[in-house]
Amino acid sequence: MEDAAMPQDVMVVGAGPAGLCLALALAARGLKVLVLDRQDEQALAEPAYDGREIALTHRSVRLLHELGVWQHLPADAAPVLRRARVMDGAHRGFEVGGEAFGLSYLGRFVSNHLIRRAAWCAAAAMPGIEIRTSVSLESLATDARCARVAPAGGERLEAALLVAADSRFSTTRRALGIPAFAWDLGMTMVLSRVRHEQPNHGVAWEWFGRGQTRALLPVADHEASAVITLPGVEAQSLLDVPDGDFGAKVTARFEGRLGRMTPSSTRHAYPLVATWAARFTGSRCALAGDAAVGMHPVTAHGFNLGLASVERLAQSVGEAVERTGDPGHPDALARYERRHRAGSAPLFAGTQAIAGLFTSPGAWAQPLRWLALSAGGRFPALPRGLAAALLDSPSDPGGAAHWARAGLRALRAR
Ligand SMILES: Cc1cc2nc3c(=O)[nH]c(=O)nc-3n(C[C@H](O)[C@H](O)[C@H](O)COP(=O)(O)OP(=O)(O)OC[C@H]3O[C@@H](n4cnc5c(N)ncnc54)[C@H](O)[C@@H]3O)c2cc1C
């Protein structure tokens, strides 16, 4: 490889949590990384609250520690997720905990904007990483020798590898000619933190129902993020409710089960679109984070999977550098493609199936849902398998081997 003209080894488009974590993982392996984002520095360094409370697995927490991100979170930023309850309409469903695995909690919740801020602080202080903000890319191209991008202003940048980490709607992915499948679920999630009268005991709820899904993500004893998924028009009318009436509307949707709910944050909305890239790599390029797999949030695994992509790509690139000195070596990309595809396909397919069954408005779906929930209450293997998936602690999160092991463990327990 000629590297004289390349002041950076890897260029990452997107300074979101996945792009910044990848930059940290690559810089820790001695590589020079240039991160480019279209947002301005203020928006990236001090991101505003965006309503997302990210449920992190034990494994993701460990990885964020190793990358030096966790250390930049405020001390009280990560309340524990003790247990999770799955319900449907009037069916009380079943509860999942980590005790079968010797763990007192399933994971931790951290607000997305705090993860972004912590990742920014860690990356900005890391030697080997340069971050350029307010960048608009005019063109990009890759060939067998290198990747080139042209930001507005006339500069031409080159690197041995280009990584797209610019969200599930990645324009970099499209510019690279990589197709992606998208499932628009026609629903929108409305999120707001609420204070509530009864304690939540650190138990998260996923409460399905005809025409709506409610989730409760506890952030303190009497405070949680209330997430209501509705068809677009209904979601908009909930968003448009005046401040004084919003609490009453949310209390009613949660049937007053935790008493009166009062909003304690701004409201946010996310249209539900899941995406899956047809390829995760190409010549001198790779996709990471949501740009590779944009998960439906129902199983709370999007960023966990994004971190798995960071780990797998950094490992493959690191090995290639040791062997060949080339961070964009085709063997490294092929290895990442194989590992991340095998690791994410079962989780993506399982999440899509759950989302399809549990959010279907069809009358046929409810008996099936109740059957599934009754089975969950009666056969410990099911909640145990679900807990294993949520905990995601063994070696390869979401990997086929991990799922097979979790399934075998669950069957053995019976
Ligand atoms: C409601 C909701 C709840 C969720 N809950 C969970 C959860 O509980 N657990 C979990 O693990 N995950 C969860 N997720 C998923 C998680 O939020 C995402 O997986 C994660 O934020 C994706 O990070 P990313 O860095 O890949 O992309 P993003 O966060 O989208 O960042 C992309 C970055 O790229 C930049 N960019 C975009 N286009 C360009 C361009 N053309 N040029 C330059 N820069 C560009 C953007 O400015 C941005 O900074 C949830 C998602 C939603 C919507």
Side-chain angles (χ1 to χ4, degrees):
M1 271 247 3
E2 289 173 45
D3 57 0
M6 294 187 210
Q8 55 276 323
D9 299 303
V10 182
M11 289 188 287
V12 179
V13 182
L20 292 173
C21 287
L22 178 67
L24 285 161
L26 294 172
R29 288 169 167 81
L31 295 172
K32 289 206 179 77
V33 187
L34 175 63
V35 185
L36 307 162
D37 201 289
R38 65 180 174 194
Q39 294 190 69
D40 65 31
E41 181 166 343
Q42 169 73 16
L44 290 164
E46 286 297 336
Y49 179 70
D50 63 19
R52 282 184 258 185
E53 307 296 341
I54 304 295
L56 295 171
T57 63
H58 291 258
R59 183 184 176 83
S60 294
V61 171
R62 259 200 311 278
L63 189 61
L64 290 173
H65 262 291
E66 284 166 23
L67 294 174
V69 172
W70 195 263
Q71 296 79 333
H72 289 280
L73 289 173
D76 58 352
V80 295
L81 162 59
R82 292 200 188 292
R83 305 179 66 73
R85 172 161 282 281
V86 186
M87 301 177 277
D88 188 88
H91 197 299
R92 67 183 308 275
F94 60 84
E95 225 172 89
V96 174
E99 56 285 336
F101 300 86
L103 295 165
S104 59
Y105 62 93
L106 286 170
R108 287 183 179 275
F109 283 115
V110 183
S111 294
N112 192 51
H113 74 297
L114 295 181
I115 298 177
R116 291 192 73 134
R117 192 170 72 183
W120 172 274
C121 291
M126 180 80 172
I129 298 181
E130 183 192 344
I131 310 174
R132 293 201 201 168
T133 56
S134 306
V135 173
S136 142
L137 295 182
E138 278 181 350
S139 70
L140 57 86
T142 64
D143 59 27
R145 194 189 76 86
C146 73
R148 294 179 202 87
V149 306
E155 200 180 1
R156 298 287 172 265
L157 302 166
E158 287 188 4
L161 176 64
L162 173 71
V163 181
D166 54 343
S167 88
R168 65 188 63 201
F169 304 111
S170 170
T171 51
T172 307
R173 184 181 62 208
R174 185 177 301 124
L176 289 166
I178 300 179
F181 303 95
W183 289 262
D184 186 333
L185 294 130
M187 306 285 273
T188 298
M189 281 184 147
V190 178
L191 304 88
S192 170
R193 278 196 181 192
V194 292
R195 293 208 178 81
H196 46 78
E197 290 173 324
Q198 313 295 332
N200 54 49
H201 304 291
V203 180
W205 299 4
E206 192 70 51
W207 187 8
F208 300 100
R210 283 183 81 175
Q212 66 173 348
T213 302
R214 293 141 291 186
L216 189 91
L217 315 175
V219 294
D221 270 359
H222 289 83
E223 189 175 16
S225 170
V227 184
I228 303 170
T229 307
L230 296 165
V233 173
E234 274 184 68
Q236 192 55 50
S237 51
L238 185 59
L239 284 167
D240 292 341
V241 164
D243 280 349
D245 299 338
F246 184 68
K249 294 273 182 208
V250 177
T251 307
R253 288 201 177 263
F254 279 83
E255 297 176 6
R257 292 192 181 192
L258 291 181
R260 197 154 52 88
M261 291 175 151
T262 321
S264 57
S265 79
T266 41
R267 285 174 232 172
H268 299 268
Y270 292 90
L272 280 185
V273 182
T275 58
W276 174 264
R279 288 183 279 119
F280 294 169
T281 57
S283 180
R284 298 270 160 200
C285 64
L287 312 179
D290 276 18
V293 184
M295 293 277 286
H296 187 301
V298 70
T299 51
H301 260 308
F303 183 49
N304 291 303
L305 203 56
L307 281 173
S309 77
V310 164
E311 206 174 15
R312 291 171 185 145
L313 183 54
Q315 203 173 38
S316 299
V317 168
E319 284 165 10
V321 170
E322 269 175 34
R323 255 186 324 107
T324 66
D326 178 2
H329 196 281
D331 290 353
L333 299 181
R335 182 150 192 265
Y336 168 63
E337 173 87 46
R338 258 192 328 269
R339 289 193 66 209
H340 196 45
R341 198 157 280 276
S344 34
L347 194 54
F348 186 81
T351 300
Q352 290 292 95
I354 290 172
L357 174 63
F358 279 90
T359 61
S360 167
W364 59 270
Q366 194 176 47
L368 282 182
R369 291 201 287 264
W370 283 34
L371 201 66
L373 292 184
S374 301
R378 224 169 283 158
F379 305 112
L382 274 177
R384 201 183 146 94
L386 187 55
L390 289 172
L391 284 165
D392 204 11
S393 51
S395 54
D396 194 7
H402 157 60
W403 282 77
R405 272 198 303 276
L408 283 173
R409 265 201 310 272
L411 287 172
R412 246 185 264 129
R414 287 186 61 192

